[in-house]
Amino acid sequence: MAKIFRGRLDGMDGMKKFSSFKLFDFADQLEKQIESPKNTDDPRYLKRWAEKIRVLARQKERALEHKKRQ
């Protein structure tokens, strides 16, 4: 399996265009998918992606706070 780098969050999926609220929601959906009986994805893969998306959402929140302070 190919390694997934942080750059692919924006380059391939275009995650930077979403707000932090939507990103947190998407990460929550990925974690809910783990518990679903119809889930065919590896739970570790979904947890890693959920955490990467949350990191991006936190960065967006910090950037917004920084922008407001200036």
Side-chain angles (χ1 to χ4, degrees):
M1 175 182 259
K3 291 186 179 180
I4 299 172
F5 297 101
R6 288 184 187 225
R8 292 183 70 184
L9 279 176
D10 183 47
M12 188 172 168
D13 298 328
M15 292 292 180
K16 286 191 177 180
K17 67 182 175 183
F18 296 113
S19 68
S20 61
F21 298 112
K22 289 184 180 181
L23 289 173
F24 279 126
D25 186 46
F26 183 60
D28 291 340
Q29 288 176 6
L30 286 177
E31 287 191 339
K32 287 178 186 175
Q33 183 180 345
I34 293 170
E35 299 168 1
S36 173
K38 296 180 181 179
N39 181 29
T40 58
D41 292 323
D42 184 18
R44 291 177 296 169
Y45 173 82
L46 293 173
K47 283 182 183 180
R48 278 194 306 260
W49 267 105
E51 185 54 35
K52 287 180 182 187
I53 291 171
R54 281 197 178 96
V55 166
L56 179 62
R58 284 186 219 114
Q59 287 174 350
K60 288 175 105 27
E61 285 181 340
R62 283 194 309 259
L64 186 61
E65 289 171 5
H66 177 72
K67 209 177 213 183
K68 286 180 182 179
R69 284 191 304 248
Q70 287 185 343

